[in-house]
Amino acid sequence: MPPTSTPPTASPTPTSATPTTTATLPTTAPPATPRPHLTNASAVVSQYYQDITDHDYAAAWALGGSHIAGTTYDRWVAGFNTTQSITLGTISAFGALRVHAILYATQTDGTLKTYADDYTVADGILVGASIHQTN
């Protein structure tokens, strides 16, 4: 005789009208970890140019590029389209807020541009700059 199969049994329906509670999980992701707040003016200038060398223009803009660019973000970024890297030759702090730096900007064609710059830093961001190409 062939085996008989038993139809699956349905789960019992709860007879109680008592609502069940479930824990509500957060629906938003935690905020991104903020960058460390740089309090040393020389560190701010160094990080600004490192961000540009790394092509992290948004980070450099947030670190004060928006205050010293004198133009829109898109035009400012386009101004670096022939810059391969930037190296700080010397950097000197004058008090807690002012920094003087010599920059060497290597271009994508291999040429080198040199700049002498003075920066003002307040609350961990660049708030002013005087930048002059020396060659």
Side-chain angles (χ1 to χ4, degrees):
M1 191 181 270
T4 60
S5 64
T6 325
T9 330
S11 303
T13 307
T15 57
S16 166
T18 308
T20 57
T21 57
T22 57
T24 304
L25 299 175
T27 58
T28 59
T33 305
R35 278 178 88 157
H37 181 71
L38 301 172
T39 57
N40 177 302
S42 297
V44 171
V45 173
S46 294
Q47 186 61 54
Y48 174 75
Y49 284 107
Q50 185 60 54
D51 289 343
I52 292 171
T53 294
D54 294 344
H55 305 286
D56 189 352
Y57 300 115
W61 187 257
L63 198 56
S66 61
H67 297 285
I68 66 172
T71 189
T72 66
Y73 175 80
D74 290 335
R75 286 184 182 196
W76 176 77
V77 170
F80 293 107
N81 66 356
T82 61
T83 304
Q84 180 177 331
S85 65
I86 297 174
T87 304
L88 290 171
T90 58
I91 190 164
S92 308
F94 300 105
L97 304 176
R98 297 201 20 103
V99 174
H100 177 76
I102 303 296
L103 305 177
Y104 301 100
T106 303
Q107 305 302 294
T108 54
D109 66 0
T111 61
L112 185 68
K113 294 181 180 179
T114 305
Y115 297 86
D117 311 334
D118 291 301
Y119 299 93
T120 303
V121 177
D123 198 26
I125 61 170
L126 297 168
V127 294
S130 174
I131 302 169
H132 304 284
Q133 186 173 348
T134 59
N135 78 335

